Structures are given as structure tokens and as C-alpha cells.
Amino acid sequence: MSVFISGASGFIAQHIIKQLLSKGYQVVGTVRSAAKGQRLQENFGPSFQYEIVPDITATGAFDEALKKHLDSVKYVLHTASPFFYNTTQPERDLIIPAIQGTKNILGSITQYAPKVSKVVITSSDAAIYSAEDEQNSALSFDETSWNNISYADACKDPIYAYYGAKSFAEKLAWEFLKVEVPDFDLVAINPVYVFGPQAFDSEVKKELNTSNEYIYSLIKNGPHASFDNAKGSYVDVRDVARAHVAALDDEKLVGKRLFLTNGQFSIQMILDTLREKFPQLASQLPEGTPGSGPEDIKSLAKSSNEATRKLLGFEFRNLDTIVEDTIEQILRVNPQ
Ligand code: NDP
């Protein structure tokens, strides 16, 4: 029985694939180039196959890849979606791929993969609240919340675009289910900032994926660098992967949005942990205002994911563990 996963080269996707392989699944992953597929193949071994889908926005983008595996694919995980903010064309680079990619994969499954019984969409907390609302302590959010970003506003800048794109794409998936009434069930996974080690040491590059770069840049930019004391919520990539794997065969999770958060953080908290756990890095870290973390996060909206925690029934890793494991891997690969 195999699992088809889009965006197999991604930070989160590689952890999902690793866990799927360890549970005995065969995995087919889509990538944008043969070079990326080859690298994954070397790391994952023979139970992993790749298919090249060069452009997820093209009509029928996933048709050929799915047709090749229609007899074996039972589950589909859609993780491929842009996550970055450095673009001057947010609609083209962030919104359209998120929407079209989701539309295309659901359409291909319906037409060409009748044995698929479950589809899991990697959405985001960005679909739950806007970047502004997340920073408003008067507000509260949970699994039932949606951001209120309009398409016109989403086109304004990359942050609005990313947040808008994630809600447009996820809503499209739920709407598809209502209108098309396909034979598969749907689960959405809505993680907050996902941190943690890369699935393989060889994936530690000069620049990491968008979320981990918040941590890595602290040790790369030097003690005099100004840093944005960003605040938000955190969760470990290994727990995010575990939730995706659970969503495949746990019937309790059908039709749910799983809001994956283990609490709130500020960059200052991460800095304080780095100083404590890695004293050898102290001279290259900015100081900030040590100890201000608990005060920093008071300005954030309240988030509740009790329903998700109850459904999943496992504990998420804490911030110290995540930061330690992330930095240990970076130091192993790039000794400072
Ligand atoms: P990565 O950037 O590491 O992975 C993104 C994946 O999507 C890569 O495989 C990438 O392919 C693929 N992709 C991006 N844009 C396109 C495109 N236009 N066409 C085809 N493939 C594309 O990010 P993450 O692993 O962190 O994110 C994976 C998913 O999780 C995304 O949907 C993201 O929105 C969501 N998410 C991430 C969070 C985080 O903090 N990391 C938080 C909440 C949600 P390639 O390698 O070729 O670029």
C-alpha cells in the first residue's frame, strides 16, 4: 500500500516520509526536478520513489504521476506549497500555486486514483488567523477559526499573500468535498511555526527553510546584528509529521482540522535557550533583553487546541528540546 506525497523535498515532507517508511509504507513523492528526486532517493532508499511534477499550477499537473501509481496509492498527502516572503509578485508566487496546486491534486485524485481513501492537506495556522490578529491579545482562536483576509488584500504584500493563500487553498479543499462528494475523506493539518532538525544532516544548507531560518540566523548574523523579536507559536517538525501519519488511518481524525501548537515563543526566548544550552556560542549571539520572553508573549492572541490534543493523544516536544536538537544538528554539520 503506498502513500503519494506532493512536495517531497520540503522540510516537513521529508520528516513525514521518514516516519511513513519506518512504518512500512511505500512512498511516492513528487518533486520539481530529477536532481531533487535523486537526492531524496539516496537518503530514503528503495521504498521511496519519485515522480517529477515541474509545475503544480499547470492544468492536470498531477495526472501522469498519479496514473502511474493508481493501483497502489491509498493515501495522498498534499504538502507542496510556497512558504517564503521574499517576492515582489505575491499573487503569482504565493497565492496561485497554493490554490491551483490544491485544486489540481484533488481533481487528479478524483479522476485517476479511485483507490484513494484519504487526503491530508498541509494547511497552516495562517489559515486560522491573520498575521495582525495573531498579535492581538484581545482575540482567541481555535480549530474552528478562519482568517478574514480577502483576495484583494492578500495580493497586497507577501505576508498577507501567504496567510490568504493558506486559507483560500484549505477552504477550496473543504468546498471540493461538499460539491464533488468524492470517495475520499479529508483531514487538514494546521501547524504554527514548525521548528526542528532537518530529516537528514545533508539537508542542513547555508540557508534553511523559512521557519528554521529564524533560529539559524541568530547564530549566523553575529552579536551586533539587530534581530526582529518575532513572537508566535511553535511546534516540532517531528510532531507535525506524526500528526500527518496519524491522519492516514485514524478514523477519529476524518473531517478534522488539526491545530498543531505547543505554546508561544519569542525570539528572545530562543536566544536565552541558546545561551544556556550552548555557552560556546555566547560570543556570537545578540544579547537582546534576556528574560523578557514571558512578557513578550503577553501581547499575542490566545490559542486553544484542546480538541486537537485530545484527538491525537500524544505530547508535543517543548521549545528547549526543539532548539537544542536543531542547533546540535547545525553544529554537527557546520562546527562553529
Ligand atoms: P519547504 O519550503 O521546506 O517545503 C515546501 C515544499 O513545497 C517543497 O517541496 C517545495 O519544492 C514545494 N513547493 C513550494 N512552492 C512550490 C511550487 N510553486 N510548485 C511546486 N512545489 C512547490 O517548507 P515547509 O516544509 O516548511 O512547508 C511545507 C508545507 O507546510 C507548506 O504547505 C507550508 O505552507 C506548510 N506550513 C509550514 C510551516 C512552517 O513553519 N514550516 C507552518 C505551517 C504550515 P522545492 O523544494 O522544489 O522548492
Side-chain angles (χ1 to χ4, degrees):
M1 182 196 320
S2 59
V3 180
F4 186 94
I5 180 165
S6 68
S9 53
F11 165 56
I12 296 173
Q14 290 193 41
H15 279 277
I16 298 172
I17 297 168
K18 212 173 179 182
Q19 292 188 19
L20 288 170
L21 294 174
S22 77
K23 286 184 157 264
Y25 289 104
Q26 301 286 312
V27 179
V28 179
T30 70
V31 287
R32 286 199 266 193
S33 70
K36 285 185 185 177
Q38 217 36 55
R39 199 178 73 224
L40 294 175
Q41 180 83 77
E42 281 157 24
N43 282 336
F44 288 126
S47 296
F48 173 82
Q49 283 174 273
Y50 69 89
E51 297 293 342
I52 299 172
V53 175
D55 179 8
I56 58 172
T57 66
T59 306
F62 294 97
D63 289 0
E64 294 311 313
L66 264 173
K67 273 189 211 168
K68 281 198 204 167
H69 302 277
L70 54 88
D71 286 329
S72 59
V73 172
K74 182 159 184 221
Y75 303 119
V76 174
L77 300 167
H78 180 50
T79 79
S81 202
F83 180 25
F84 54 83
Y85 299 120
N86 58 339
T87 171
T88 53
Q89 300 220 44
E91 184 183 21
R92 182 197 68 186
D93 294 342
L94 297 169
I95 302 174
I96 291 175
I99 294 177
Q100 287 301 121
T102 305
K103 195 175 183 177
N104 285 335
I105 202 156
L106 296 177
S108 294
I109 298 164
T110 312
Q111 257 191 299
Y112 299 111
K115 293 189 177 161
V116 170
S117 62
K118 186 86 51 82
V119 175
V120 182
I121 300 278
T122 310
S123 186
S124 172
D125 68 331
I128 287 181
Y129 36 60
S130 66
E132 281 160 339
D133 286 351
E134 182 186 6
Q135 307 289 325
N136 180 345
S137 61
L139 301 176
S140 306
F141 298 96
D142 63 19
E143 291 86 351
T144 63
S145 314
W146 289 94
N147 76 43
N148 51 8
I149 299 171
S150 68
Y151 196 92
D153 280 347
C155 294
K156 282 197 316 208
D157 75 38
I159 293 182
Y160 270 104
Y162 177 71
Y163 279 67
K166 295 307 286 186
S167 62
F168 306 148
E170 193 198 324
K171 278 183 179 160
L172 182 155
W174 291 117
E175 193 60 25
F176 185 96
L177 218 68
K178 265 199 222 151
V179 174
E180 303 291 333
V181 198
D183 290 335
F184 56 78
D185 292 319
L186 185 69
V187 182
I189 310 275
N190 300 69
V192 295
Y193 280 100
V194 182
F195 299 122
Q198 303 294 314
F200 299 97
D201 285 1
S202 57
E203 292 296 306
V204 177
K205 306 279 158 54
K206 283 202 180 101
E207 191 168 329
L208 297 179
N209 60 292
T210 300
S211 46
N212 269 333
E213 198 52 29
Y214 280 92
I215 301 182
Y216 196 9
S217 62
L218 294 173
I219 64 172
K220 282 193 296 195
N221 293 348
H224 306 298
S226 63
F227 68 94
D228 167 23
N229 189 24
K231 295 161 236 170
S233 301
Y234 73 88
V235 67
D236 187 288
V237 67
R238 294 159 290 191
D239 298 326
V240 174
R242 189 170 170 186
H244 281 79
V245 175
L248 298 186
D249 60 7
D250 185 341
E251 291 309 304
K252 290 195 305 297
L253 306 183
V254 167
K256 304 290 184 197
R257 301 176 83 207
L258 302 178
F259 184 17
L260 304 183
T261 168
N262 195 36
Q264 298 175 324
F265 75 97
S266 68
I267 294 295
Q268 183 67 54
M269 286 174 168
I270 294 179
L271 268 177
D272 293 353
T273 301
L274 286 174
R275 283 182 181 282
E276 187 195 329
K277 306 281 180 191
F278 300 94
Q280 73 274 29
L281 295 178
S283 64
Q284 66 196 78
L285 294 171
E287 178 90 7
T289 312
S292 69
E295 199 54 37
D296 295 340
I297 61 174
K298 282 188 185 160
S299 62
L300 288 168
K302 304 193 181 28
S303 285
S304 159
N305 68 340
E306 281 318 302
T308 297
R309 287 176 185 269
K310 211 177 269 177
L311 283 166
L312 287 173
F314 64 83
E315 291 290 315
F316 299 140
R317 289 169 177 81
N318 65 32
L319 187 63
D320 281 358
T321 304
I322 299 172
V323 172
E324 254 187 290
D325 292 353
T326 306
I327 295 296
E328 261 171 19
Q329 184 187 48
I330 289 172
L331 296 181
R332 190 162 61 239
V333 177
N334 295 322
Q336 304 289 307

